[in-house]
């Protein structure tokens, strides 16, 4: 083998490894998996609750966000602009804090381009994950997915929903993540609901503290596995870049806020998570504290349920009721009480008059008191919006 050939092979290997490292940085929270290794560091919790940020103001909240992965991330009047230009790029922004159940809303436009994947990901240290994924070659669809404890042996977790013009129109992508039930919403309408028992009897149900990561990557990179390339819609041609994703605003509500979270054992179950409150002597809050809280963040109480407000407007005809697991409730001597998703701020919509080059979003109050969202396309934008 000649020196030139060897050099090319080494360069190719370097590029592949760079891409994998960038993707790993964007998709994983920590190198320490607390259900496999003891002594993992605590996870910093979101205490400024609810939290929201408007990236169209041209700034980034460095106390809350970090740019990870290769690729360009800048902040303009169009929001956080994440540009994937070349092989190895995976521009991603990640929160510095975790949430423990709650709701996440992202107002954004997906990146165009064959093989380009725009993602909104909630991910935990032990491999729990909740995803939005938008494929650059399909402008009228969004995919949903979830993982439990990093289990990738089953490939029946994905869902597809029709959404018009995901690249030229801003849409609100919401995850409502509760104990017992997970719902994905687009512009205030429920497109998918997962019950805990339907995720391998709860074993694969996401239930540990998670970070939020938003970014894009090239699933169609020629060096990826054939199955990944096919799923991403084909081979990516980097000469047609940059492929740009626009994130305008983000709103997050942490249902169980705490200064930090730690794993009480290696089960990876939600009721093993220990919450540390600010100013506490040793700071521990156990599962009993979570379950027995009487305030707005309580799951249930021994006498009543404080969570009775409805979720964002949806196509579902009636709310879904669900309960604490029987063994835990029995151990804590609790009565069973039905619980709906908690009360959150109304769906994220545009609150500033858009310029002529921006999309418009109107909102009206429905009879249920929710907001009805109507999105209109960005003028002049199309699937080649970045070109």
């Amino acid at each position: 083998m000649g020196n030139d050939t060897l050099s090319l092979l080494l360069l190719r290997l370097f590029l592949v490894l760079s891409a994998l490292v960038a993707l790993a940085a964007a998709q994983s929270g920590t190198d320490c998996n607390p259900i496999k290794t003891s002594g993992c560091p605590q996870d910093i919790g979101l205490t400024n609750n609810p939290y929201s940020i408007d990236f169209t103001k041209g700034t980034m909240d460095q106390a809350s966000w970090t740019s990870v992965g290769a690729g360009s991330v800048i902040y303009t009047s169009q929001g956080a602009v994440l540009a994937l230009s070349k092989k190895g790029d995976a521009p991603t922004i990640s929160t510095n804090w975790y949430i423990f159940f709650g709701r996440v809303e992202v107002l954004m436009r997906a990146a165009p381009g064959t093989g380009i994947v725009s993602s909104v990901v909630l991910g935990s240290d032990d491999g729990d994950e909740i995803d939005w994924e938008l494929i650059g070659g399909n402008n009228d669809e969004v995919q949903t997915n979830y993982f439990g404890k990093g289990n990738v042996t089953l490939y029946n977790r994905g869902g597809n929903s029709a959404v018009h013009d995901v690249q030229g129109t801003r849409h609100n992508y919401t995850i409502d993540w509760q104990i017992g039930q997970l719902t994905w919403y687009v512009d205030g309408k429920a497109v998918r609901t997962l019950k805990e028992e339907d995720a391998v009897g709860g074993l694969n149900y996401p239930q540990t503290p998670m970070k939020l990561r938003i970014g894009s990557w090239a699933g169609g990179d020629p060096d990826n596995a054939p199955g990944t390339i096919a799923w991403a819609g084909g081979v990516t041609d980097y000469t047609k870049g940059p492929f740009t994703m626009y994130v305008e605003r983000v709103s997050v509500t942490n249902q169980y806020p705490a200064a930090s979270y730690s794993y009480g054992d290696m089960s990876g179950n939600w009721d093993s998570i220990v919450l540390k409150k600010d100013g506490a002597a040793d700071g521990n809050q156990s599962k009993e504290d979570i379950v027995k809280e009487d305030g707005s963040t309580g799951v249930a109480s021994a006498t009543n349920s404080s969570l009775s407000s409805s979720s964002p407007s949806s196509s579902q005809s009636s709310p879904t009721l669900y309960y604490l697991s029987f063994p835990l409730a029995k151990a804590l001597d609790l009565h069973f009480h039905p619980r709906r998703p908690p009360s959150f701020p109304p769906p994220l919509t545009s609150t500033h008059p858009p310029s002529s080059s921006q999309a418009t979003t109107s909102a009206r109050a429905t009879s249920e008191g929710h907001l009805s969202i109507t999105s209109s396309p960005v003028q002049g934008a199309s699937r080649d919006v970045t070109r």
Side-chain angles (χ1 to χ4, degrees), residues 193-258:
T193 295
L194 172 72
K195 293 182 180 295
E196 179 181 11
E197 59 266 27
D198 294 331
V200 194
L203 294 177
N204 274 14
Y205 186 76
Q207 57 191 284
T208 49
M210 297 196 189
K211 273 187 173 183
L212 171 63
R213 289 176 292 278
I214 306 170
S216 64
W217 60 288
D221 187 277
D223 291 323
N224 283 343
T228 301
I229 295 173
W231 165 76
V235 176
T236 298
D237 182 354
Y238 293 103
T239 65
K240 295 183 178 180
F243 309 105
T244 306
M245 174 183 184
Y246 298 90
V247 182
E248 296 189 13
R249 285 183 288 142
V250 176
S251 177
V252 180
T253 300
N254 186 5
Q255 187 171 343
Y256 303 110

Side-chain angles (χ1 to χ4, degrees), residues 178-197:
Q178 305 298 320
I179 297 173
Q181 181 169 293
L182 170 62
T183 306
W184 291 261
Y185 294 86
V186 177
D187 296 334
K189 180 180 179 180
V191 297
R192 182 184 181 186
T193 295
L194 172 72
K195 293 182 180 295
E196 179 181 11
E197 59 266 27

Side-chain angles (χ1 to χ4, degrees), residues 27-81:
Q27 298 291 330
S28 62
T30 178
D31 293 330
C32 188
N33 187 332
I35 65 173
K36 295 181 178 179
T37 305
S38 60
C40 290
Q42 296 182 352
D43 296 331
I44 298 172
L46 169 63
T47 55
N48 180 20
N49 193 46
Y51 171 88
S52 63
I53 185 168
D54 185 349
F55 289 123
T56 66
K57 296 184 182 299
T59 59
M60 178 186 184
D61 176 7
Q62 294 185 351
S64 292
W65 297 86
T66 299
S67 178
V68 297
S72 171
V73 181
I74 61 174
Y75 299 87
T76 73
S77 60
Q78 296 189 79
V81 181

Side-chain angles (χ1 to χ4, degrees), residues 50-351:
Y51 171 88
S52 63
I53 185 168
D54 185 349
F55 289 123
T56 66
K57 296 184 182 299
T59 59
M60 178 186 184
D61 176 7
Q62 294 185 351
S64 292
W65 297 86
T66 299
S67 178
V68 297
S72 171
V73 181
I74 61 174
Y75 299 87
T76 73
S77 60
Q78 296 189 79
V81 181
L82 292 81
L84 191 159
S85 301
K86 62 185 183 303
K87 187 179 184 66
D89 282 358
T92 303
I93 54 176
S94 171
T95 60
N96 298 328
W97 34 254
Y98 291 68
I99 66 169
F100 190 32
F101 297 101
R103 179 170 140 190
V104 172
E105 299 181 58
V106 179
L107 196 65
M108 56 164 276
R109 286 184 280 149
T114 299
I116 303 301
V117 183
S118 300
S119 300
V120 176
V121 178
L122 281 171
S124 76
D125 296 345
D126 69 350
D128 286 351
E129 188 172 308
I130 305 169
D131 300 340
W132 287 107
E133 294 169 315
L134 300 97
I135 307 302
N138 190 338
N139 193 31
D140 294 300
E141 182 183 82
V142 63
Q143 298 184 18
T144 57
N145 209 342
Y146 71 94
F147 297 87
K149 309 298 174 283
N151 182 4
V152 295
T153 60
L154 301 174
Y155 290 90
N156 59 353
R157 302 171 309 277
N160 297 45
S161 301
V163 180
H164 176 64
D165 191 22
V166 297
Q167 296 159 17
T169 301
R170 62 157 73 100
H171 290 285
N172 178 330
Y173 301 96
T174 296
I175 295 170
D176 187 23
W177 173 41
Q178 305 298 320
I179 297 173
Q181 181 169 293
L182 170 62
T183 306
W184 291 261
Y185 294 86
V186 177
D187 296 334
K189 180 180 179 180
V191 297
R192 182 184 181 186
T193 295
L194 172 72
K195 293 182 180 295
E196 179 181 11
E197 59 266 27
D198 294 331
V200 194
L203 294 177
N204 274 14
Y205 186 76
Q207 57 191 284
T208 49
M210 297 196 189
K211 273 187 173 183
L212 171 63
R213 289 176 292 278
I214 306 170
S216 64
W217 60 288
D221 187 277
D223 291 323
N224 283 343
T228 301
I229 295 173
W231 165 76
V235 176
T236 298
D237 182 354
Y238 293 103
T239 65
K240 295 183 178 180
F243 309 105
T244 306
M245 174 183 184
Y246 298 90
V247 182
E248 296 189 13
R249 285 183 288 142
V250 176
S251 177
V252 180
T253 300
N254 186 5
Q255 187 171 343
Y256 303 110
S260 65
Y261 305 102
S262 60
Y263 289 66
D265 57 35
M266 292 186 174
S267 68
N269 296 332
W270 72 265
D271 56 5
S272 71
I273 302 301
V274 178
L275 285 68
K276 182 176 181 180
K277 298 283 189 175
D278 278 322
D282 58 9
N284 290 337
Q285 183 184 29
S286 66
K287 63 185 179 184
E288 288 84 357
D289 295 317
I290 298 174
V291 175
K292 291 182 178 178
E293 280 184 345
D294 293 321
S296 61
T297 58
V299 177
S301 73
T303 57
N304 59 55
S305 173
S306 61
L307 303 178
S308 59
S309 61
S310 60
S311 62
S313 57
S314 76
S315 58
Q316 297 173 335
S317 59
S318 61
T320 300
L321 304 181
Y322 47 98
Y323 301 82
L324 292 170
S325 64
F326 177 76
L328 176 60
K330 184 177 180 181
L332 299 178
D333 194 25
L334 298 179
H335 300 288
F336 285 131
H337 293 285
R339 183 175 72 84
R340 294 183 185 180
S343 175
F344 288 114
L348 186 64
T349 58
S350 178
T351 57

